Structure formats: C-alpha cells, structure tokens
Amino acid sequence: MSDRYAVIGNPIGHTKSPLIHGLFAQETGQDMTYVAIEGPLEPENAFVDTVREFIAAGGKGMNVTAPFKLQAFAMSDERSERATLAGAINAMKFEDGRIIAENFDGVGLVRDIEENLHQPMAGKRVLILGAGGAVRGALLPFIAARPGEIVVANRDVEKAEGLVDQVMARDLLRACGYHALGSMGQFDLVVNATSASLTGQLPPVPSSVFSPTGGAYELAYGKGLTPFLRLARDAGVRTVADGVGMLIEQAAEAFAWWRGVRPQTRAVIDRLTVPLT
Ligand code: ATR
C-alpha cells in the first residue's frame, strides 16, 4: 500500500496541497497518496480523533491549516524550536506512535525570497508588517538568514514588543508602530504579514520604506496585485511577489522531511503563479 499523507483544515476545498504534493511525488517517484480532509469543528475533541483515526489507518504525515494549527500543536509529542516560538504548527510526522511537529512556513518564506526571488537577506534591512501567527512563524528563520536589522511594525505595538521580547536576538530586532516608520528610511525587503490584504485593506505603511532595488513580499496569495503590492510597485520596487512561492517551498520542506528527498519547486511555482496585475 502507498504511504498516506493528508492536509487537514476547515474549510479545505480551496487547498492546493494535494496538487503540489502530487506533482512532487510524481517528479521524485515516491509511492504515496496525499488527500484533503475537512476537519470537524465540533465537538471539541473531534479534530484530535480525526488525526488519531488517520494515524491508525496507516497515515505517515499531515499538513495542518486553519483553524487547527493550535490544536495540532497541543496534541503533538515533540515540537521543533521554530514551531514552539510560532505556537502553531503546519506539518506533522507520525513515527513509532509519536507525533512530531514542525512549522515550515517561515523557512519556506525565506527560501522563496532568497532562492526564487534572488533577494539574499544577509546584512540587509528587513521590515515585517504585522505581529500575528504568521510573523511568529517567520521570525526564527528570518534571524537565521542573518539580516543586518529586522523591524517588526504593528498597529498594536505592545503585541510586536511582546513578540520581539520572546526572541533572543535583541540587537537585531526591534518593534515599533507604523507612525515611526516615516523616519526610518528605506528597507531592502518589506514583508506584509498582516491579514489586511484578505479584506482588501492596506496597512498604514508609508511608501518611504520601499527601496526600488529591494523587494516587497505579500504573504497572502491568489489575490492579485493587493493594495500593499500596488503601493510598492508605485514606489518603484521591481521585485514584488505574493505568497505562492512560500506555499510551495513550505510544501517542499515538509516533503523532504517526510520522504528524505527534496523535490524541485520551479515548475510547480510557474504552474500555480497567478500574474500580479
Ligand atoms: P494570524 O495569526 O493569521 O497572523 P492574527 O494573529 O489575527 O492573524 O494577526 C493579524 C495581524 O494582521 C495582526 O498583526 C494585525 O494587527 P494588530 O495586531 O495591530 O491588530 C494585522 N492587521 C489586520 N488588519 C490590519 C490592517 N487593516 N492594517 C494593519 N494591520 C492589520
């Protein structure tokens, strides 16, 4: 029997993960299946029961998406450091009766920025907008990329400060509100990790933060040219991207972790990219 994998979320109809992992399996010749499971929202323990049933039926691993990332974190036996800081996970491996948990969102994002968009972060000035779960997941991989400085800007400044305080890299990281950005000059990379784009809104970021030779990255994907990306493009930024590459790179990280072989991502990114117009 083929090894079994799945992505669990609710709703899950929109997921691209079965397509992505199917293409990876084909390319690397792995004997596996990967399906989407709509996880139950109630009763309270139903999510955990669904995961346990999948394991009992021979499941080897799962991706986890909203709204189950915290529940999945809680039911895991082992968690990586970045998953612990994120407080949420997006991938699980089932091994010898144990659930091992990882969060590949941040590494996937860094890989997309550095490898696919050719924007190495070492020594650079990086601005992250937002201080929610997406930023918690990205901070350790960002620090590992050794930028010169990371500024985390959020409407709720205390939330950004709380996040920065949790990370042992105080010389590198600072938190602020949007009003402070006007006097901070240009950043080589500006990442919109707020949920503003999901409702067509623009975080109150001044266009003076953008550098024409740098990059602007929108974590959301499939939304076309969001207000944030339009602002960046109008400011002359040449490299603007949405999160489709991150989605595929985090999938590749999970695939390599599960199967021990790293798939090529370029063709899959080209296939799933929606032009930013
Ligand atoms: P997630 O865990 O999915 O990242 P979250 O924890 O609710 O979601 O975080 C959403 C982030 O988007 C927060 O940083 C939020 O800012 P506040 O903490 O100040 O509320 C940010 N956000 C949402 N809408 C925004 C908007 N219109 N402008 C700026 N930031 C916004």
Side-chain angles (χ1 to χ4, degrees), residues 126-132 135 139 150-154 157 159-161 163-164 173-177 181 187:
V126 175
L127 171 61
I128 303 177
L129 309 178
V135 180
L139 268 188
I150 303 176
V151 174
V152 180
N154 200 40
V157 184
K159 193 162 149 191
E161 282 167 348
L163 190 52
V164 164
L173 265 175
R174 64 198 264 218
C176 69
L181 294 175
F187 289 83

Side-chain angles (χ1 to χ4, degrees), residues 4-27:
R4 299 180 64 196
Y5 296 86
V7 56
I8 187 164
N10 190 323
I12 199 66
H14 62 283
T15 185
K16 302 256 185 279
S17 295
L19 170 64
I20 295 168
H21 284 281
L23 290 169
F24 287 166
Q26 214 172 51
E27 189 240 322

Side-chain angles (χ1 to χ4, degrees), residues 143-228:
I143 290 166
R146 309 178 72 81
E149 180 187 4
I150 303 176
V151 174
V152 180
N154 200 40
R155 289 184 309 197
D156 177 347
V157 184
E158 276 181 22
K159 193 162 149 191
E161 282 167 348
L163 190 52
V164 164
D165 281 347
Q166 269 181 286
V167 181
M168 302 304 283
R170 306 245 168 90
D171 48 332
L172 190 68
L173 265 175
R174 64 198 264 218
C176 69
Y178 285 94
H179 59 276
L181 294 175
S183 57
M184 285 194 193
Q186 294 184 340
F187 289 83
D188 302 295
L189 176 69
V190 184
V191 178
N192 183 14
T194 71
S195 51
S197 305
L198 301 181
T199 49
Q201 290 177 307
L202 177 68
V205 57
S207 58
S208 57
V209 299
F210 294 108
S211 156
T213 54
Y217 198 102
E218 173 79 77
L219 246 57
Y221 62 90
K223 302 264 168 210
L225 203 63
T226 60
F228 167 77

Side-chain angles (χ1 to χ4, degrees), residues 101-157:
E102 258 290 7
N103 186 324
F104 292 120
D105 285 337
V107 264
L109 172 60
V110 170
R111 233 185 132 86
D112 191 37
I113 291 168
E114 296 205 310
E115 308 286 325
N116 302 328
L117 302 173
H118 311 291
Q119 298 274 324
M121 277 196 238
K124 298 289 174 59
R125 297 193 79 206
V126 175
L127 171 61
I128 303 177
L129 309 178
V135 180
R136 279 202 304 275
L139 268 188
L140 286 184
F142 265 50
I143 290 166
R146 309 178 72 81
E149 180 187 4
I150 303 176
V151 174
V152 180
N154 200 40
R155 289 184 309 197
D156 177 347
V157 184

Side-chain angles (χ1 to χ4, degrees), residues 17-86:
S17 295
L19 170 64
I20 295 168
H21 284 281
L23 290 169
F24 287 166
Q26 214 172 51
E27 189 240 322
T28 56
Q30 294 288 302
D31 183 13
M32 59 185 274
T33 61
Y34 188 109
V35 298
I37 297 176
E38 187 175 278
L41 297 175
E42 50 189 12
E44 210 179 303
N45 263 340
F47 168 75
V48 171
D49 291 344
T50 305
V51 175
R52 298 250 175 246
E53 277 161 26
F54 185 73
I55 298 171
K60 296 271 193 249
M62 251 185 186
N63 282 122
V64 183
T65 186
F68 301 121
K69 289 183 172 190
L70 300 178
Q71 271 173 280
F73 179 90
M75 77 179 290
S76 305
D77 300 301
E78 250 176 72
R79 304 158 189 127
S80 69
E81 193 192 352
R82 58 196 173 205
T84 303
L85 177 70

Side-chain angles (χ1 to χ4, degrees), residues 228-245:
F228 167 77
L229 291 178
R230 185 167 295 122
L231 184 75
R233 195 166 266 183
D234 289 348
V237 178
R238 258 175 293 148
T239 307
V240 301
D242 73 1
V244 71

